Amino acid sequence: TIARVASGLVAPTAGTVRIDGVDMSEAPTYEFARAGVAHAPEGRSVFASFTVSENLELSFRRAFGRAGVADALDRAYDLFPRLRERRHQVAGTLSGGEQRMLSLSRVLVEAPRLLVADELSLGLAPIIVDEVYDTLATIRESGTSLLIVEQHVQHALELCDRVALLDHGRIEWEGPSADAADVVVSRLFETSGEG
């Protein structure tokens, strides 16, 4: 829900969403996109019957026009070299992790100001999770802010400056990421009955 509110897909029931000090709480989703907010939703949103390159071209033509597609494709393949190898493969035959990379590359090439990433590691092999988070680190270094919603927090903690620990939609703890690892571990022991 937080990811959907932060990207304008759902209006908040309380509080406000502000971008550059402007209250966007009631703004339509396209205004969030114009402000540079991109949403990488949970799951794999690809056109299964299109090739990898066709999936990318469809997005990039809308974003960059016909003349900008070639450069955008190069940037996508630089972000995820595995996609370059699979560019002629039908997207529906890719592994789950490769489909995740494909859906992420469509968002990341546009260099959003804020990327709202929802459960990026869900159902992915550990080696793919590493690749995805390495790419997020690169994007972060280039100036994109990240809002990461993640149950498997190890990778996210390495990228975050601040952390909010939620339990059933309520903030249970909030603070710097340097302090978060100990809090997360102690919460896990509490819920498992081991600590």
Side-chain angles (χ1 to χ4, degrees):
T1 302
I2 286 175
R4 292 171 60 82
V5 169
S7 52
L9 297 170
V10 173
T13 55
T16 58
V17 178
R18 294 184 179 277
I19 298 176
D20 293 330
V22 176
D23 185 353
M24 301 282 285
S25 304
E26 300 297 323
T29 306
Y30 68 84
E31 290 292 346
F32 281 75
R34 284 184 180 161
V37 178
H39 187 134
E42 180 182 329
R44 304 164 198 127
S45 52
V46 300
F47 295 104
S49 62
F50 289 13
T51 65
V52 168
S53 63
E54 288 169 339
N55 267 273
L56 293 172
E57 288 172 21
L58 188 63
S59 292
F60 297 158
R61 187 167 292 181
R62 176 196 50 79
F64 303 110
R66 186 181 302 255
V69 169
D71 287 341
L73 283 171
D74 284 339
R75 289 196 304 274
Y77 297 146
D78 288 345
L79 287 171
F80 295 109
R82 189 180 302 233
L83 295 180
R84 186 185 307 274
E85 299 165 14
R86 309 259 195 290
R87 66 185 176 275
H88 301 299
Q89 188 171 333
V90 173
T93 64
L94 297 172
S95 72
E98 291 165 344
Q99 289 182 26
R100 188 61 160 145
M101 289 176 183
L102 177 55
S103 67
L104 262 176
S105 66
R106 293 187 318 206
V107 172
L108 294 178
V109 166
E110 293 187 45
R113 291 179 59 204
L114 170 66
L115 173 65
V116 180
D118 191 2
E119 297 289 353
L120 290 181
S121 67
L122 188 66
L124 301 185
I127 191 166
I128 300 295
V129 174
D130 290 344
E131 285 185 52
V132 167
Y133 272 91
D134 287 348
T135 300
L136 287 183
T138 300
I139 294 300
R140 181 181 183 246
E141 289 168 12
S142 72
T144 295
S145 297
L146 304 173
L147 172 61
I148 302 173
V149 178
E150 183 67 77
Q151 289 184 34
H152 305 287
V153 298
Q154 181 63 31
H155 284 85
L157 286 176
E158 295 170 9
L159 288 179
C160 295
D161 297 316
R162 298 200 59 79
V163 174
L165 179 62
L166 302 177
D167 186 11
H168 294 91
R170 300 181 78 182
I171 297 176
E172 295 293 323
W173 182 86
E174 189 268 332
S177 60
D179 300 337
D182 292 336
V183 173
V184 169
V185 169
S186 68
R187 295 286 177 159
L188 289 173
F189 281 122
E190 285 174 19
T191 58
S192 67
E194 298 176 21

